[in-house]
Amino acid sequence: MYVVQRGAWTLGAPLARSEQTLSAGQFLLRHIGRPRHFETVPGTMAKVLVLPAAMLKPLLGRRQSITGPADSAEVRLLVAHSNMIYETVADLGPAGVRAAHSTLIELAKAVARHRVDDAEPQLAPALAQAAKDLADSRLADPEPSGTMLARELNVSVRNLQRAFAAAGESVTAYIRRRRLEEARLALTAPSGRLSVSELAAYWQFADSSHFIRAFKKHYGRTPTEYARSGIPAEN
């Protein structure tokens, strides 16, 4: 499976009848069988997953491949889970490896079927991570909510909430915490520092008082006190 994030990726020899080019924002799922010629344009960035053919080839049916948008809910879930595997596989025990592998296969099947069985407990970590990635990209927007995230990921609100609950944090709490973290970083930025009221508005708090109370509860001091303390901002 190829997920092209930037540039373009061409599979198949030049002038070959089976040549196929993927542009940025597209994915391709196909049975390779043996190594194939490929070319990329400079600056191409892509994720390539090698998946077991025996489990996935039957889903292709008579089709040689499946292509579609890389920002679909199914592909985003698959990419989020593969990223988690990359970051944690060295620390996983045998049971964890088996669970990670099974979830990866189920998500690849979901890509082929264009749907996700979000009631499957094994998919909860991938679903929560994909929702967090999406929320992080829209923290400054007024819309991020459980309803919006569920709609974008093509799952039910209830199952999205269950996925977050499994990690011990609600969707709303995650979004609030991340907004406070970004506001904290902005308070000690070396240049272009915003006022407390500007930060409150930018990070979608109801007003300055609401922002100050939330910030003090989370960090133990007001935004002004934190800024004056000179504590360096760290990611």
Side-chain angles (χ1 to χ4, degrees):
M1 180 174 180
Y2 304 82
V3 182
V4 180
Q5 299 158 324
R6 187 172 66 214
W9 190 300
T10 300
L11 285 168
L15 304 181
R17 294 180 61 185
S18 60
E19 185 179 79
Q20 195 166 8
T21 298
L22 290 176
S23 300
Q26 291 183 307
F27 82 87
L28 168 69
L29 179 64
R30 67 178 298 169
H31 177 59
I32 299 298
R34 62 180 184 276
R36 298 174 63 92
H37 174 86
F38 71 88
E39 293 182 352
T40 61
V41 300
T44 294
M45 180 182 296
K47 178 175 285 292
V48 181
L49 300 176
V50 180
L51 303 163
M55 296 182 178
L56 296 172
K57 188 178 178 182
L59 296 176
L60 294 176
R62 296 182 179 180
R63 296 170 294 182
Q64 292 186 346
S65 62
I66 296 173
T67 60
D71 64 350
S72 70
E74 295 83 4
V75 176
R76 284 188 292 191
L77 285 170
L78 178 61
V79 170
H81 182 63
S82 67
N83 289 338
M84 282 197 297
I85 292 176
Y86 178 79
E87 294 172 0
T88 62
V89 68
D91 300 320
L92 292 176
V97 171
R98 287 194 297 271
H101 176 267
S102 296
T103 302
L104 188 69
I105 299 305
E106 290 304 312
L107 287 170
K109 290 179 179 178
V111 170
R113 294 169 178 149
H114 302 289
R115 64 181 175 84
V116 174
D117 180 10
D118 57 321
E120 170 55 56
Q122 286 188 334
L123 301 188
L127 176 55
Q129 187 59 52
K132 288 177 180 180
D133 291 344
L134 180 57
D136 285 348
S137 70
R138 303 186 183 181
L139 286 176
D141 297 342
E143 189 182 9
S145 65
T147 301
M148 182 278 288
L149 296 175
R151 182 179 69 248
E152 289 288 321
L153 294 172
N154 196 29
V155 299
S156 69
V157 174
R158 184 177 183 182
N159 282 302
L160 179 63
Q161 291 171 338
R162 285 178 177 174
F164 270 80
E169 187 175 36
S170 69
V171 178
T172 301
Y174 176 80
I175 293 173
R176 175 185 289 265
R177 175 172 63 81
R178 287 290 296 113
R179 283 173 167 170
L180 286 172
E181 288 173 355
E182 293 298 328
R184 178 182 66 86
L185 293 173
L187 281 168
T188 51
S191 62
R193 185 178 300 171
L194 299 176
S195 67
V196 171
S197 60
E198 289 172 331
L199 282 173
Y202 186 82
W203 293 114
Q204 303 301 320
F205 287 88
D207 51 45
S208 297
S209 298
H210 186 218
F211 169 59
I212 292 171
R213 287 195 300 271
F215 191 95
K216 186 173 183 179
K217 182 178 180 180
H218 194 76
Y219 291 110
R221 64 188 72 189
T222 67
T224 300
E225 290 169 344
Y226 189 91
R228 288 175 178 170
S229 70
I231 299 176
E234 297 180 356
N235 290 312

